[in-house]
Amino acid sequence: MKRLYNVLFLCTGNSARSIMAEGIMNYRGRPHFTAFSAGSHPSGAVRPEALRQLEMARIPVEGLRSKSWDEFASPGAPKLDFVFTVCDNAANEVCPVWPGQPMTAHWGVPDPAAVEGSATQIEKAFREAFFILERRITLFLLLPFASLDRLALKQELDNIGQTGAALAEEKR
């Protein structure tokens, strides 16, 4: 693998799932992948529970912030190679046109920020979301990019989005 790929993880609030995915990809995917995250309606704050999951995995959290997807649809933004939606709502939202036509896939994960209950229940929801994302990103990084044509790569990306989907459905 010779080139650098830019990956954007999209969610509605950009406070938990997409933030964790950005951190995981930047840590596990270096030096070939640079990840970003954004939200269609960013909350403006990163959930401390999401940062805690990253820190427990010894993944750096510096520079992670909640931001709008507009930053990545404007002139001068990084050219995106992959765009993944990681929240249930984002799959039905109208996404802006991305310059360069990146590969896209929906990797939906239940929203841990929506969980109500004890601190233990909330932490468990964040931990489960973290592990689903980590598993999907690991599978993504194992793909033989050089030997896959665009159609085969798209199929693999969609298949990865189903990894952990049954577990996620059981939790709902």
Side-chain angles (χ1 to χ4, degrees), residues 38-111:
S40 56
H41 297 92
S43 68
V46 177
R47 291 288 300 255
E49 301 92 339
L51 295 176
R52 179 167 158 67
Q53 291 302 313
L54 292 168
E55 289 169 339
M56 287 187 337
R58 302 207 181 338
I59 295 173
V61 298
E62 301 83 36
L64 294 176
R65 63 183 177 88
S66 179
K67 58 205 155 298
S68 173
W69 63 6
D70 293 339
E71 289 187 28
F72 299 94
S74 61
K79 178 190 175 294
L80 300 172
D81 299 292
F82 299 95
V83 175
F84 301 119
T85 53
V86 294
C87 55
D88 296 328
N89 296 341
N92 298 321
E93 293 172 348
V94 177
C95 292
V97 175
W98 300 105
Q101 300 180 355
M103 298 289 296
T104 61
H106 178 61
W107 290 0
V109 177
D111 187 1

Side-chain angles (χ1 to χ4, degrees), residues 2-159:
K2 295 178 182 165
R3 65 178 288 221
L4 175 67
Y5 296 94
N6 288 323
V7 181
L8 176 63
F9 292 97
L10 284 178
C11 202
T12 306
N14 190 223
S15 68
R17 292 162 290 186
S18 52
I19 292 286
M20 289 189 290
E22 176 184 0
I24 295 165
M25 179 66 81
N26 278 331
Y27 185 71
R28 305 255 190 263
R30 67 180 177 221
H32 300 291
F33 293 87
T34 300
F36 307 94
S37 68
S40 56
H41 297 92
S43 68
V46 177
R47 291 288 300 255
E49 301 92 339
L51 295 176
R52 179 167 158 67
Q53 291 302 313
L54 292 168
E55 289 169 339
M56 287 187 337
R58 302 207 181 338
I59 295 173
V61 298
E62 301 83 36
L64 294 176
R65 63 183 177 88
S66 179
K67 58 205 155 298
S68 173
W69 63 6
D70 293 339
E71 289 187 28
F72 299 94
S74 61
K79 178 190 175 294
L80 300 172
D81 299 292
F82 299 95
V83 175
F84 301 119
T85 53
V86 294
C87 55
D88 296 328
N89 296 341
N92 298 321
E93 293 172 348
V94 177
C95 292
V97 175
W98 300 105
Q101 300 180 355
M103 298 289 296
T104 61
H106 178 61
W107 290 0
V109 177
D111 187 1
V115 171
E116 297 178 5
S118 69
T120 302
Q121 291 168 315
I122 293 169
E123 181 165 344
K124 181 179 182 219
F126 275 86
R127 185 173 53 252
E128 288 172 357
F130 175 88
F131 284 129
I132 290 170
L133 291 165
E134 184 178 49
R135 175 73 174 143
R136 290 177 180 171
I137 290 167
T138 298
L139 291 171
F140 173 76
L141 294 172
L142 292 172
L143 290 174
F145 291 91
S147 64
L148 293 174
D149 65 28
R150 202 165 164 81
L151 186 59
L153 180 57
K154 173 63 174 149
Q155 183 62 52
E156 291 294 336
L157 298 179
D158 290 341
N159 290 343

